[in-house]
Amino acid sequence: MDGGVSGEGHLDAHCVWIIDGGPHVPHRLPPGEPSCVIAVDRGLAHTLRLGLRPHVVVGDFDSVDPAMLQTTREQWPDLVVRRHDRHKAHSDLDLALSFAWGLDPAEIALAGGGGGRLDHMMTSVTMLARPRYAALPLTAYIGASVVRAATAGMDMRLPVDDGNLLTLLAVGGAASMHTRGLRWNLSATTPLASAASLGLSNELIEPEAHVRVQAGTVLAIQTHGTPLP
């Protein structure tokens, strides 16, 4: 690994954005302004194209233009660079999420353009349900969808502006929850089996839906679309 500075004490973790390094530039960004931007490998090019100032670059740099990286370091000498071996055991996004987790952020958002390899997409989305990431104040904007995760004892507030269609997926085992504001609400008496389709294509019927997870881990995926008849 190498770094632009000796540490990360100068980083402001109030509102951390992670720009994923997928094949497409994110077309939906979180609201507000970031206090710290973490670029994931090729995400450096996406970050600059979006007009954002990168504070951290993480990855094995197999898809980073060396000249772009050098120019970026010259423009922002305090840029933190975390270069990992290409034969690492974790994905670049996993490393970026772990870095962000270590900053103890007040708010964190992940932005990705979607598309690309199915295995990469599935791993990236389900990774958000890992216990330490699910416990983060994290919202992911992936393609046209907004994704949140929650574990037992956590609540999710899902505004309809993020998508009128909602899919709830139990990850890593069965989950039980109580919901309100949906066309078909769930309760503890109707647990959601792992990877079951029971939670597919629900609909928000109020300005904001609420999900209280009582057991297990749940992914909530919101997308704008036409409701089923």
Side-chain angles (χ1 to χ4, degrees):
M1 296 189 295
D2 60 52
V5 295
S6 59
E8 292 81 52
H10 68 292
L11 297 175
D12 181 352
H14 176 71
C15 182
V16 177
W17 286 11
I18 298 175
I19 307 300
D20 193 22
H24 304 300
V25 178
H27 59 268
R28 184 174 185 179
L29 292 178
E33 296 290 336
S35 62
C36 176
V37 175
I38 301 174
V40 184
D41 212 271
R42 176 170 42 192
L44 176 61
H46 299 339
T47 298
L48 297 174
R49 184 172 178 179
L50 291 166
L52 298 172
R53 186 262 205 235
H55 298 84
V56 184
V57 186
V58 177
D60 58 18
F61 295 1
D62 62 342
S63 57
V64 170
D65 180 351
M68 176 183 292
L69 178 60
Q70 181 59 35
T71 300
T72 304
R73 297 185 78 166
E74 291 171 356
Q75 183 173 0
W76 293 291
D78 63 345
L79 178 73
V80 176
V81 177
R82 289 293 175 261
R83 186 192 306 266
H84 295 264
D85 188 274
R86 293 190 179 186
H87 301 291
K88 60 193 184 304
H90 305 284
S91 71
D92 290 335
L93 178 58
D94 197 356
L95 294 169
L97 284 167
S98 181
F99 185 97
W101 177 83
L103 296 176
D104 192 23
E107 179 183 353
I108 183 170
L110 166 65
R117 284 173 47 179
L118 177 61
D119 53 345
H120 285 180
M121 283 292 297
M122 290 183 65
T123 301
S124 296
V125 174
T126 56
M127 185 189 306
L128 303 179
R130 285 178 57 187
R132 71 171 181 173
Y133 297 153
L136 285 172
L138 169 64
T139 302
Y141 300 79
I142 302 176
S145 298
V146 178
V147 185
R148 294 177 175 86
T151 57
M154 293 178 61
D155 295 287
M156 287 186 284
R157 299 173 60 183
L158 310 175
V160 72
D161 288 347
D162 285 343
N164 64 309
L165 302 182
L166 172 67
T167 289
L168 296 169
L169 292 175
V171 180
S176 62
M177 70 204 77
H178 176 80
T179 71
R180 58 186 174 88
L182 302 177
R183 181 174 178 184
W184 299 282
N185 283 302
L186 298 175
S187 68
T189 59
T190 54
L192 197 60
S194 182
S197 61
L198 176 63
L200 181 67
S201 294
N202 211 324
E203 301 167 22
L204 277 74
I205 57 174
E206 295 182 6
E208 185 175 82
H210 295 259
V211 177
R212 170 74 174 178
V213 180
Q214 296 166 307
T217 303
V218 176
L219 279 173
I221 305 172
Q222 287 180 260
T223 308
H224 286 289
T226 303
L228 296 174

